[in-house]
Amino acid sequence: MTETTVGVGGAAESTDMVLNIGPQHPSTHGVLRLRLVLDGERVRSAEPVIGYMHRGAEKLFEARDYRQIIMLANRHDWLSAFSNELGVVLAVERMLGMEVPERAVWTRTLLAELNRVLNHLMFLGSYPLELGGITPIFYAFREREDLQHVMEEVSGGRMHYMFNRVGGLKEDLPAGWLGRARQAVAEVRSRMGVYDDLVLGNEIFRGRTRGVGVLARETVHAYGVSGPIARASGVDFDLRRDEPYLAYGELRDVLEVVVREEGDCLARFECLLAQTHNSLALADACLDRLEELPPGPINQRLPKVLKAPEGHTYAWTENPLGLNGYYLVSKGEKTPYRLKLRSASYNNIQALTELLPGTLVADMVAILGSLFFVVGDIDK
């Protein structure tokens, strides 16, 4: 067998063409490269090449104290900054045996669900764009701005919120914020039908995604795929229900784990859309509870130098893109001895080696986009 490595273009007959897709500019999903071996228009093998954005966050964790590592941790999935912070503070709080005030627990849950909606709206708009449908991205950014306003008001940040603290949250909610947040959630919910009609109701979109890129349940388990991608393949697992943290144990009646059996691109999009609807319902439930709670503290008072006791623990959360875990090892110092990050996109993107072979080049973009990944979440 002979191989010819070329750029975008043709190769001599009877040879396999090795095609490099990427590395792309960060304004796409991030700097990812795919090395494809093609037989005509069909993919014979695919290798995701990662590492172009690697910034060594896990080693930097070891040189920062427990307040500073929150800043590092919220950046790997830049669409889920608040959720990224949660894993760190939950791990440290578990090491300390610390109880967080009830007001902080419910506020964290609310902000985590608003952050989930922000994450999903980006992909609900960008995925049709990758298939040639430009309109949904404009709607998605309109809805995102409504939620970004309330997130920015409460935290001071639009992208990297830095609002979590060990023991609770940075500060209490601004006066009248709960009402403004409820209004924003209501406005977003009232316009979510656009995606059902404009995207799912589009026969071209369904034709490009139905039956394309089918991910088997066995492959999900083999590669550790998680989140809406795994649930679209019939894997009925969600940490919020199966191992509740924050206030999710009290939200069982509202929480809905959306599962599909088809495992194709369309099922993955449907899971993402249905999960967005449910996150808005969860946000409303949290707002109801916060309005009932009496005034109280939003955090615990901490010593000037915070040290976690010697030992180790593992804290994981159901991030918007899948399972996000932190394995924390402490020697009793003010910095972690080791902090290992398990990010969702790292495992999810490996499934491309199973998904792409046998498919057409024209379907490659549809499959790639349906994995809903952020490259910073792969490279950490």
Side-chain angles (χ1 to χ4, degrees), residues 123-134 136-137 199 205 269:
F123 290 107
L124 291 175
S126 69
Y127 185 49
L129 181 65
E130 290 161 359
L131 299 181
I134 190 173
I137 193 71
V199 183
F205 178 83
F269 187 86

Side-chain angles (χ1 to χ4, degrees), residues 23-40:
Q24 300 293 352
H25 190 273
S27 64
T28 59
H29 290 290
V31 186
L32 175 72
R33 173 184 163 211
L34 286 178
R35 184 180 183 275
L36 306 179
V37 177
L38 306 179
D39 182 5

